[in-house]
């Protein structure tokens, strides 16, 4: 049940990230980052309460890594586009 709920959340944020309005795209990206950070905190708390170390490490790595990629990805793409390593969109 929970896995499906998180999947729906990510699909909705993904669709919003493709919206033509830049304000909505930024809001979707920021919301996704916040939710991933919250996921990492929840997993860390679950580890404190007895979640096996291996599962906690994987959960924190996935949630934290996704949040970091979402936060740093646009800046990295802008940096690469400025240096013409990645072509800009038409």
């Amino acid at each position: 049940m929970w896995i499906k709920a998180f999947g729906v959340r990510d699909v909705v944020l993904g669709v919003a990230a493709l919206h033509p309005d830049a304000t909505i795209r930024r809001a979707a990206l920021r919301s996704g980052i916040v939710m991933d950070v919250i996921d990492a905190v929840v997993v860390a708390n679950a580890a404190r309460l007895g979640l096996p170390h291996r599962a906690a490490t994987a959960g924190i790595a996935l949630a934290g890594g996704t949040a970091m990629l979402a936060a740093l990805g646009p800046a990295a793409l802008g940096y690469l586009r400025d240096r013409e390593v990645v072509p800009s969109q038409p």
Side-chain angles (χ1 to χ4, degrees), residues 4-90:
K4 290 180 183 179
F6 287 129
V8 169
R9 177 189 77 182
D10 289 334
V11 168
V12 169
L13 286 173
V15 170
L18 298 174
H19 196 277
D21 184 0
T23 305
I24 293 174
R25 288 193 309 267
R26 279 191 299 275
L29 180 63
R30 288 179 182 143
S31 298
I33 292 168
V34 169
M35 287 185 209
D36 287 335
V37 169
I38 290 170
D39 288 346
V41 170
V42 167
V43 171
N45 187 50
R48 190 178 61 81
L49 298 174
L51 182 69
H53 179 71
R54 195 177 208 177
T57 301
I60 291 171
L62 288 171
T66 303
M68 189 181 329
L69 181 63
L72 300 177
L77 282 176
Y79 176 83
L80 294 173
R81 283 191 185 126
D82 289 346
R83 278 140 192 81
E84 297 181 7
V85 175
V86 175
S88 59
Q89 295 183 4

